[in-house]
Amino acid sequence: MSDVVTYNREGSIGVITVNYPPVNALSHGVRSGLVAALEQGQKDADAKVLLLVCEGRTFIAGADIREFGKPMQEPGLAAMIEQFENSNKPIVAAIHGTALGGGLETALGCHYRVAVSSAKVGLPEVKLGLLPGAGGTQRLPRLTGARKALEMITTGEFVNARDALDLGIVDAVEDGTDIRGVGLAYAQKIADENKPVRRVRDLTDRIEADKGSDVFGEFRANLEKKARGLFSPFKCVDAVEAAFNLPFEEGMKRERELFTECMESPQRAGLIHAFFAEREVSKVKGLPKDTPVREIKKVGVIGAGTMGGGIAMNFANAGIPVTIAEVKQDALDKGLAVIRRNYENTAKKGRITQAQVEERMSLISGTLTYDDFSDVDLVIEAVFESMDLKKKIFGQLDQTCKPGAILASNTSTLSIDEIAASTERPQDVIGLHFFSPANVMKLLEIVRGEKTSDEVKATAMDLAKRINKVGVMVGNCYGFVGNRMLHKRGAEAMALVNEGASPQQVDKVLTDLGFPMGQFAMSDLAGIDIGYSIRQERRKAGEDVPATWMDKLAEQGRLGQKTRAGVYKYEEGNRKPIPDPEVDRIIAEFRQEQGITPREVTDQEILERCMYVMVNEGAKILEEGIADRSLDIDITWIYGYGFPAYRGGPMFWADQIGLDVILGTVEQFYDDLGGEQWKPAGLLQELVSEGRKFGDL
Ligand code: 3H9
């Protein structure tokens, strides 16, 4: 008998138990164990009904993703499920936790399904660039009809147990946490009532009802808008449609063909890299798993602007009381009103209730003095980027906050070590860099200072999870990981326009790559004044920062979306960028002043200059130990800047292009254009000479 799947009998119920932590994924061992246990149950003359139940925190959460890309070992999942469905004794699946992907497909191969009320079910394969490949696209629509099956399969969203009951996915929902007890009671009922085997594949009512429906065309048209650039969502629709046009066996064959196409697509590789990378970033090099974390029960935020307000919302959403400090009452009132408006808007969309709005607002208070921070466990400073101001604030916080309170800065560029040096507790100082809008964007860049203690680092990583962020630990340098790379891309994008490209052309290359917006649309969103003041500061400090047409925009008050004119223009109440002939004129004037004759710039050059400069910088970031692993950079870009997850992040993308190709082009640009940004990173050269990739590090 397998050590991960066991068979035993309780009265007239034959119980098949899966115990393969952490999530009972359908590895080869689990699949073969299930087949063996099923055979045993079939032979067991005293077993009238069989029960499939899982140990640990969840029912089967899917195929074992770690086995993808390796040769498949028999028995295959679809064949295993078929054996379950063909059983001559009824089989009950008892679901707790999450029945996902191959896990739900296995449950659909059973004849009855009972779930505890906290359980969820779903077919999230699409999020991995796949489609349900073990009958999910053929069996689910037989229970739910076309629309709901398409919704679940093309979005990958989970459905809770009560909704699953309404949809016919499960047959019963019970309260309680004892899944074995719940399963046994339900199986006993099936036995007592002499219920027959009931195969989902044989159900035809929902298939007949939706045959020839327009719903497939409707979903395809919607996906054209919502899933731009993605491969597998469209294949999901094809597979579900096959359930309506083909007999079951042929539908299964079609599903397999489409699954194989998805499996072989580069998007699958990118998305699965992103899946594991997201989980790996929580394991920080050199930070032992058992490092104690400090309790964060009360938080202070300094600054009630867009950033401070957004940061505060994260804590209120997680049920943690938060106090916001401002200098003036009207700024504080305005900030609190914006927070309320944001919550009200979310409630209008039906995502939270009015009661939740009030509950969250009741957790947020305002103050005009740091004295109210004497008992907080963490303060996050979110004032504008001035080192002098930040040092002053940290000095004051050090005096006011209790010993052990963590002092954090939301700075996006400045040195955490320099800020920490203005306190007597540098071990308690850390960077917590949120991304705008701070209540929405998933990334939290956690910047360790030279003296930050392990306990404070571990607390910050733990806190990220509590407030539903993905925390990435990075080292201290100008711009850290994300903005350091972004600034290189920004400078290159501006230079390309100096030379002859249009802002729209540059942005289109980036959106075609899969970014939700281009470099210049993003500058308009953030505010043109931000980049301008950074350049001016650097010029004041004596750095050689070349003039650009974007300085002119800032000087003329074209500050971006907030003034409805920046690199693009904007209609009242609309964020859609509209190309503006006035900007073309400003650019032409700039070129004339600088004596530049514009040349034709190809899309390929834009791609290479904007992206390879980032990869080269990413390699330097790795070399300097600012990021521990290339996957930390990938996750920073996916969750902080909308890098298309299906390309796996910039460093994974670079590995796919080929580091030799990238290095060759970087060297060429260094010769042709010069500049520190094009100096090939030593690590890039080393990897190419060894025939290795970032992913091999
Ligand atoms: C599929 O089923 C294809 C079929 O249709 C057809 C096949 C022919 N495999 O997320 P967590 C690991 S595709 C292997 O931190 P949570 C995960 O890496 C699959 N490992 O916990 C982590 O490992 P570590 C469809 C897996 O409680 C640990 O488990 N299914 C798998 O926040 C804990 O994970 C999915 O897409 C897996 N399938 O969330 C479900 N899943 O500790 C994907 C997890 O070493 N999984 N691990 O870092 C999830 O959505 C979440 O993990 C889940 C738990 C909700 C289950």
Side-chain angles (χ1 to χ4, degrees), residues 217-230 233-234:
E218 188 193 311
F219 266 79
R220 286 193 180 96
N222 260 331
L223 289 173
E224 291 293 346
K225 289 184 224 141
K226 287 194 190 147
R228 198 176 59 92
L230 290 174
F234 295 90

Side-chain angles (χ1 to χ4, degrees), residues 422-486:
S422 62
T423 74
E424 298 291 319
R425 55 172 105 185
Q427 74 284 357
D428 292 338
V429 176
I430 196 159
L432 293 180
H433 179 208
F434 289 78
F435 287 69
S436 191
N439 53 320
V440 179
M441 297 298 282
K442 289 277 284 184
L443 180 67
L444 182 62
E445 210 177 17
I446 300 174
V447 189
R448 55 180 170 229
E450 205 187 335
K451 296 194 175 143
T452 310
S453 72
D454 277 1
E455 204 173 294
V456 170
K457 289 180 206 163
T459 305
M461 291 299 292
D462 181 65
L463 184 72
K465 274 210 180 108
R466 275 179 76 194
I467 60 172
N468 202 18
K469 300 275 177 213
V470 178
V472 179
M473 180 70 71
V474 302
N476 183 35
C477 67
Y478 181 82
F480 319 124
V481 169
N483 279 347
R484 177 166 158 184
M485 287 166 72
L486 178 73

Side-chain angles (χ1 to χ4, degrees), residues 22-23 25 57 61-66 68 77 98 100-103 105 124-125 128 130-134 158 256 259 275-276 279-280 283:
V23 296
R57 63 190 200 199
D64 191 337
I65 308 172
R66 292 179 203 276
F68 290 172
L77 184 55
T98 44
L100 301 177
E105 291 175 300
E125 285 87 343
L128 302 173
L130 290 170
L131 53 84
F158 302 168
R256 169 94 343 222
F259 178 79
F275 176 87
F276 284 120
R279 281 150 184 85
E280 276 307 299
K283 298 161 199 161

Side-chain angles (χ1 to χ4, degrees), residues 370-570:
Y370 295 167
D371 292 346
D372 287 333
F373 289 162
S374 58
D375 63 343
V376 297
D377 305 298
L378 162 74
V379 188
I380 303 172
E381 161 277 310
V383 303
F384 67 93
E385 292 288 78
S386 154
M387 183 54 94
D388 290 345
L389 179 61
K390 288 184 197 266
K391 279 183 176 167
K392 201 171 131 212
I393 290 174
F394 273 73
Q396 282 171 324
L397 290 175
D398 195 21
Q399 299 296 313
T400 318
C401 294
K402 65 183 181 189
I406 298 174
L407 310 184
S409 174
N410 177 53
T411 179
S412 57
T413 50
L414 302 175
S415 167
I416 291 298
D417 289 334
E418 203 177 330
I419 295 174
S422 62
T423 74
E424 298 291 319
R425 55 172 105 185
Q427 74 284 357
D428 292 338
V429 176
I430 196 159
L432 293 180
H433 179 208
F434 289 78
F435 287 69
S436 191
N439 53 320
V440 179
M441 297 298 282
K442 289 277 284 184
L443 180 67
L444 182 62
E445 210 177 17
I446 300 174
V447 189
R448 55 180 170 229
E450 205 187 335
K451 296 194 175 143
T452 310
S453 72
D454 277 1
E455 204 173 294
V456 170
K457 289 180 206 163
T459 305
M461 291 299 292
D462 181 65
L463 184 72
K465 274 210 180 108
R466 275 179 76 194
I467 60 172
N468 202 18
K469 300 275 177 213
V470 178
V472 179
M473 180 70 71
V474 302
N476 183 35
C477 67
Y478 181 82
F480 319 124
V481 169
N483 279 347
R484 177 166 158 184
M485 287 166 72
L486 178 73
H487 289 179
K488 298 289 175 207
R489 189 185 82 175
E492 216 52 37
M494 274 189 296
L496 282 158
V497 175
N498 286 352
E499 292 165 38
S502 71
Q504 299 87 283
Q505 189 194 359
V506 173
D507 276 3
K508 183 161 185 307
V509 170
L510 294 174
T511 52
D512 283 351
L513 192 71
F515 280 100
M517 58 173 75
Q519 178 71 33
F520 296 115
M522 197 167 135
S523 307
D524 275 357
L525 179 68
I528 301 282
D529 44 333
I530 295 186
Y532 178 68
S533 62
I534 292 176
R535 287 193 295 279
Q536 290 293 76
E537 286 289 317
R538 290 174 57 202
R539 284 170 187 140
K540 256 194 255 163
E543 275 186 65
D544 177 24
V545 180
T548 145
W549 54 278
M550 281 185 87
D551 294 339
K552 281 179 173 278
L553 298 186
E555 282 153 12
Q556 293 179 23
R558 297 187 65 112
L559 303 184
Q561 283 191 19
K562 58 187 164 193
T563 57
R564 286 181 39 216
V567 180
Y568 298 94
K569 60 182 174 186
Y570 298 86

